[in-house]
Every structure is written in C-alpha cells, then in structure tokens.
Amino acid sequence: MPELEPMRNHWWWRPGWRVGRSFYTWHVTFADQPEAQRLVGDYEPVLSALPTLDPIPVRWLHLTLQGIGFTDEVARGDVDRIVAAAQQRCAGLAPIAATIGPALTDPEGVQMPVRPLASLAELRLAIRAAIGDVWGQDNVPEPQEGFRAHVSLGYSNAAGPAEPVARALDEHGAHTAAVTISSVSLIDLNRDRQAYEWTDVATTRLGG
C-alpha cells in the first residue's frame, strides 16, 4: 500500500463558521435514491467498525456543488433571484445518469467519486452562471477550478494514520451505485452538532 497522507479531524472551525451560523449552498442530495441508500448500507459494516470516523446517515448524504454565502450576509431577495435564474438555466440540462463509488480515503474522511465529472461540472457551471446573473460573474464565490465531484461517507473525528482506514476499505471490497441526478437543492446548511444538517430552501429540476 502506498504511503498515505495522515488523517486529520474534519470538524475544526473553518473561517467564518461558528456555533449558530449557517450557510446557503447548492447540493445534490440522495435521500430519495434507493441505490444510494443501498450503497451506504454496503459500507456501513466497515465504517461502523472504525471509531475515528463519523458515518453520514443517508438523509444527509450529499454532493457539494456551489456555495453562495453565510445566511446572515446574503439578502433573501438575492437568494430568490438566484433560485429563479438557476431554474431557468437548469431547465436546459438533461438529468444525469451517474455512478457513485467506490470509497476511498481522504485526509478528512472517506469519499466516493461521482462520475461523469464533465456532466456534473456543467451543472455546477450553470449554478455559477445563475449566481452571476444576479451578482455579476466576477462576484461568484469560490473558485471555478478544482471541482472534485464526490459524496462523503464519513468524516474523520481525530488525527491519525490513514492506512488502517484504507486497509479496512480494501478488505471490505469495492461497491458502487448508479443514480439519476434530476434536481439540485439550495439548502441552509448548519454544522453545530459535528454533522452537516440542513433545511431545504429551494429545489431546481434539470430539464425544467
């Protein structure tokens, strides 16, 4: 096994975050996808046996696309206009047949790549363009480059070597799921309880 970067605690407070603060962001969610639920179940035995990982329940499974900003810094009128622009732009995109998995170690947890990247990147660009329709393209937050489409299965809750996690995943075997991404959700995201939890703000369908 090649040498891996050590794991670190995912739950450190990133700049701007604090207890009670939440964030507007666009995610793909999977709570209504049976195959995604099955995939979580496939990996549950190995994740539950690793105390340094916090497994993610199916209801909070997500693919992060594009942030907007902290809810106390973004006017709700702007949110509504961004949603309307996103609905218009996503209407021209077809639903995406995607594959999730298999699981791999990451310095802050266990992730599953999602493919095809090109289609997901196109969806993200449509969301970024919608934000730019309201704020101007030069004011879209977060870099356009470096997008890695992935779904996390669990987050590291302590610092330590990655090799035991990678070995457990390898011994467990590779698992994947086929899903159809037909919508993207704007959510109000909170992380007060060492978990990413949210309330839905709006849902935009692909293909109108």
Side-chain angles (χ1 to χ4, degrees), residues 98-160:
T99 300
I100 307 175
L104 304 167
T105 57
D106 175 83
E108 294 193 5
V110 172
Q111 296 183 352
M112 301 179 292
V114 186
R115 300 171 299 276
L117 178 59
S119 298
L120 295 162
E122 182 183 15
L123 172 58
R124 181 172 184 259
L125 286 175
I127 296 297
R128 289 180 60 84
I131 298 170
D133 289 341
V134 178
W135 285 348
Q137 298 300 328
D138 291 339
N139 297 313
V140 178
E142 302 178 358
Q144 179 178 318
E145 300 75 19
F147 174 60
R148 294 188 305 116
H150 69 275
V151 172
S152 292
L153 266 177
Y155 295 114
S156 175
N157 57 38

Side-chain angles (χ1 to χ4, degrees), residues 62-80:
H62 62 275
L63 188 165
T64 302
L65 281 178
Q66 173 66 44
I68 295 180
F70 287 104
T71 58
D72 58 357
E73 294 181 345
V74 180
R76 185 53 193 254
D78 284 358
V79 171
D80 294 340

